[in-house]
Structure formats: C-alpha cells, structure tokens
Amino acid sequence: MQKTVNADGAPPTASLPPIPAKRYFTIGEVSELCGVKTHVLRYWEQEFTQLKSITRRGNRRYYQHHEVLFIRRFVNCCTNTASPSTVHATVWIRKKMARQATRRCPF
C-alpha cells in the first residue's frame, strides 16, 4: 500500500484543521490544531529540544509555524506507527549520534 504525503512531508490528517497563515500560535491554538492537550505540549517541550516555545507577556507560550508542523508529525508518528517512548528513544539516539559526529578528536 502506498502512503500519500502533504507538501510538508507529513501524512494527510483529515481530522485536523488547516494551519492558518500566522507567525505565532498560543498553546491553546496549537492544542486545537494538533489535537493534543496543553499539559502534554508542556511536557513535550521539556523532553524534546526541537520544541521550543517563545515566552512573552505574562509567561505566555507562543509557538511558530515549524513547531506546529513538528508537533503534528510527532502526533501522527505516535498514533500511527510507534509508541511515544519509541519515538523519544529514536530522537535521543539521533541527538547522541549528532553530538558524536560533531565532537572533535582530542589527538
């Protein structure tokens, strides 16, 4: 079976609303756009370095468009192919490999 993908490389998500053309999204908006509760987004922000919100006025979190896409891909991966722990382990291994690749030889 062949899978189709959107222009951003993510599989199509019929149940999720389209992402509006905005620069910043509040955590509530991201929650609605990605189908994830806000406390889960806060937890993922602590666990994944790729997800980094901007904090402004009154400690409000704002996410950029690329972060919303990352969250949607992550949610899709968790729901369709793997458990969150498997995805977390994969991200951790990739980060470790990247660190080792950029480490300079001490000799």
Side-chain angles (χ1 to χ4, degrees), residues 3-107:
K3 293 184 178 181
T4 58
V5 293
N6 292 337
D8 61 357
T13 51
S15 62
L16 295 176
I19 301 172
K22 291 173 51 175
R23 186 171 217 166
Y24 297 107
F25 300 89
T26 64
I27 192 168
E29 291 172 332
V30 174
S31 174
E32 291 174 6
L33 289 171
C34 298
V36 179
K37 295 188 178 187
T38 57
H39 72 274
V40 175
L41 290 172
R42 289 185 199 102
Y43 172 74
W44 286 350
E45 194 174 323
Q46 292 174 354
E47 291 294 315
F48 301 105
T49 56
Q50 297 91 338
L51 189 59
K52 187 87 173 166
S53 65
I54 298 169
T55 307
R56 292 193 176 170
R57 303 176 278 185
N59 287 336
R60 288 182 166 240
R61 285 179 168 86
Y62 291 96
Y63 295 92
Q64 294 181 14
H65 190 268
H66 66 90
E67 293 164 335
V68 176
L69 292 175
F70 173 80
I71 295 167
R72 278 193 169 185
R73 284 190 203 113
F74 184 76
V75 168
N76 185 50
C77 186
C78 289
T79 56
N80 293 335
T81 58
S83 68
S85 60
T86 305
V87 175
H88 188 273
T90 304
V91 170
W92 181 80
I93 290 168
R94 285 183 182 172
K95 286 193 301 188
K96 186 175 180 180
M97 290 173 63
R99 275 184 273 150
Q100 288 176 351
T102 59
R103 196 177 289 167
R104 292 185 180 185
C105 181
F107 305 111

